[in-house]
Amino acid sequence: MTATDRTADTPKLRAGVIGLGWAGRQHIDAYATDPTVDLVAISGKEQHLLDQLGDQHGIEGRYPDYTTMLAEAHLDVVSIATPTFLHAPMTVQALEAGLHVLCEKPMAETGQAAATMVETARRTGKVLDIAFNHRQRGDVTALREVVESGGLGEIYYAKTGWLRRKGIPGMGTWFTSAASAGGGALMDIGVHMLDMSLHLMGEPKVTAVSAATHAPVGPRGRGGSSFQTSSAVEDVPFEVEDLASAFLRMEGGGTLLLETSWAQWIPYDQVYVTLYGSEGGASVEWGGDPRHPYQRLNVWTEVQGLPAELRPEVGEHGKHAAAVANFLEKVRTGEPGQHVGVEALRRARILDACYASAKQGGEVALEL
């Protein structure tokens, strides 16, 4: 059934968005163009953005206070795209108000806060989903199909990374505060690579983590991105890492090597996931010189005993629009108990273990 067919058969879902930064605007655009949804409310502290986005999309409900929006806008679904430390309290409040919730990544600043979100979703019987938009890439989707078909055999090792040349997203903002963000590059962009890798590997359970973090760049006021995603706040220190690496052990013996940085002495940004299987290997890569960027999906195997390189067909990158569409489909299934953010909670607990390992200088075990 297409979105248009569904619109004719069922009432439209009333949607709202909390947070008007870059991510929030992606959710707003996605809801505004979905024929099965009425985008009726937005909330944010920035009055000029409330006016601008409200006028652009014809949204009548414009709320400086999100609690008022939750109480008065009669919503069915809401997206939360605010600083990380606000994810858990806002999500819990929205679930308690009877709404289904799509929250931006990372799920929360700690695994404990993330667990509270999942527990509330279970208790209220509402959908809780986390917007890992890079999982919606066409090349990631194509590679997942190769893995599911058995084309790589048993995946026993993977390595992944997102390395930026100069990309600390918010110098002097909540991004660089440990209490607000929960962490630095690992929490911000490393979680994308962790999610994509585990998704591609078939969700193996992580049993132990050994990690290290470094901050040689940001505390000196260097490495800031020209793409400032949040307004600077006076006297916010740089308390998080700008580079992290981690080695993850999986149930069954598989391993994953992850590296991520906001700022590093490399020629250009690099993003990759490489899988090593018993019957083949594969890699998704993108980045490069902004003037000549690259995107590659390669699969290496054998065909009739001869080395072969496969070129899977790659569809369009779904981005946030696909993440929103997937969330709405989960809402419509009528089985919310199947979608309460459990996978994202696992990611949050792995991040907790990474930071604990870095702090104590040794391997940290996770409970399965």
Side-chain angles (χ1 to χ4, degrees), residues 2-20:
T2 66
T4 301
D5 293 336
R6 191 183 292 108
T7 300
D9 296 337
T10 59
K12 290 186 177 183
L13 294 170
R14 291 173 61 85
V17 176
I18 305 172
L20 307 179

Side-chain angles (χ1 to χ4, degrees), residues 150-156 276-281:
L152 302 186
E154 180 183 355
I155 298 173
Y156 57 89
Y276 297 84
S278 58
E279 304 301 323

Side-chain angles (χ1 to χ4, degrees), residues 211-227:
T213 58
H214 307 272
V217 181
R220 293 189 291 155
R222 304 175 71 177
S225 171
S226 58
F227 179 64

